Amino acid sequence: MPTLQSADRDIAEVFKSLGHPARVRMLRALVDGEKCVCDLVDAAGLGWSTVSRHLSVMKAAGVLSDEKRGKQVIYRLELPCVGRFLGCLEHPDRYPEMHATACCEKS
Amino acid sequence: MPTLQSADRDIAEVFKSLGHPARVRMLRALVDGEKCVCDLVDAAGLGWSTVSRHLSVMKAAGVLSDEKRGKQVIYRLELPCVGRFLGCLEHPDRYPEMHATACCEKS
DNA sequence: TGATTATTTCGCGAAATTGCGAAATTAAAA
DNA sequence: TTTTAATTTCGCAATTTCGCGAAATAATCA
């Protein structure tokens, strides 16, 4: 059973792991479905080694999971609510009322 | 009109501003309602100057707003979906099914 | 087996973050 | 108007993060 403090840390890790523009871009790509690292390199617009580290951080935080499939590694969004929360943040103007009251509901 | 890239940055700022254990603690306190800095200093367990900077970062990201009331400054959660998302992250075990499909809905 | 493709790990310097105490600010109280 | 209480700003040292290229791994292909 995690202590309250370690729970704070774990939750902070989730937020922290997403707090970077390139990671937001990768996340957006992953909301549409699983992707290989090569796709995420395109989405991020950064070098392979850098993207690999970004992915490992999000995986360590529990946001993503990965699976080796043949020659490539596939990453998948492990917390669906992260995707909905992202959608909420992206459309505050389009759905102001929804944003205020129920932005994270299923569409 | 913000460019796509600046939108990425803005969203990343929201996540980044929450990616710290003390900020999660303050956020938890603020989900219950507005609080003065003095209350948040207690919640965070850090010095005043440090807490003040944490708050200013979350405010700059658009997560919080503040208002001077008499001698004190009151902070308020500006994005309600942040509170729901936090609740979602905090109870993955208690509501596994909800977590997977609709964790951010209003209760 | 040897070559190729996909990905991760390592080591680096540059930049950002964190926490603190001291000093500045601001509004109410005496 | 002087004092006091609440909060922010500043400057600093320690730590962490970021992006890169080179090297290490791993799995497929010839």
Side-chain angles (χ1 to χ4, degrees), chain A residues 4-5 7-9 11-12 14-16 18-21 24-25 27-28 79-82 84-86 88-90 98-106, chain B residues 4-5 7-9 11-12 14-16 18-21 24-25 27-28 79-82 84-86 88-90 98-106:
Chain A
L4 285 178
Q5 303 235 352
D8 291 338
R9 255 201 311 278
I11 290 186
V14 171
F15 284 119
K16 189 159 55 157
L18 299 171
H20 187 289
V24 170
R25 272 176 248 134
L27 187 61
R28 222 196 299 285
L79 299 178
C81 64
V82 169
R84 279 192 298 279
F85 180 58
L86 178 63
C88 163
L89 292 179
E90 286 181 324
M98 182 180 177
H99 188 68
T101 63
C103 64
C104 294
E105 287 185 15
K106 278 193 299 185
Chain B
L4 285 177
Q5 303 235 352
D8 291 338
R9 254 199 312 275
I11 290 185
V14 171
F15 284 119
K16 189 159 54 156
L18 299 170
H20 187 289
V24 170
R25 272 177 247 133
L27 187 61
R28 223 195 298 284
L79 299 179
C81 63
V82 169
R84 279 192 298 279
F85 181 57
L86 178 63
C88 163
L89 292 178
E90 287 181 324
M98 182 182 178
H99 189 67
T101 63
C103 64
C104 294
E105 287 186 16
K106 277 193 299 184

Side-chain angles (χ1 to χ4, degrees), chain B residues 26 37 41 47-58 75:
Chain B
M26 293 190 266
V37 179
V41 165
W48 281 78
S49 62
T50 305
V51 166
S52 182
R53 185 145 38 133
H54 282 308
L55 290 170
S56 74
V57 169
M58 290 191 276
Y75 279 86

Side-chain angles (χ1 to χ4, degrees), chain B residues 18 22-41 43-44 51 54-56 58-59 63-66 73-80 82-84 86:
Chain B
L18 299 170
R23 294 181 191 170
V24 170
R25 272 177 247 133
M26 293 190 266
L27 187 61
R28 223 195 298 284
L30 285 163
V31 169
D32 285 341
E34 51 184 33
K35 296 274 183 296
C36 66
V37 179
C38 51
D39 290 336
L40 298 169
V41 165
V51 166
H54 282 308
L55 290 170
S56 74
M58 290 191 276
K59 179 187 168 189
V63 175
L64 305 182
S65 63
D66 65 347
V73 176
I74 307 293
Y75 279 86
R76 181 194 298 96
L77 183 58
E78 194 68 9
L79 299 179
V82 169
R84 279 192 298 279
L86 178 63

Side-chain angles (χ1 to χ4, degrees), chain A residues 53-64:
Chain A
R53 185 146 35 134
H54 283 308
L55 290 170
S56 75
V57 170
M58 290 191 275
K59 180 186 169 189
V63 174
L64 305 182

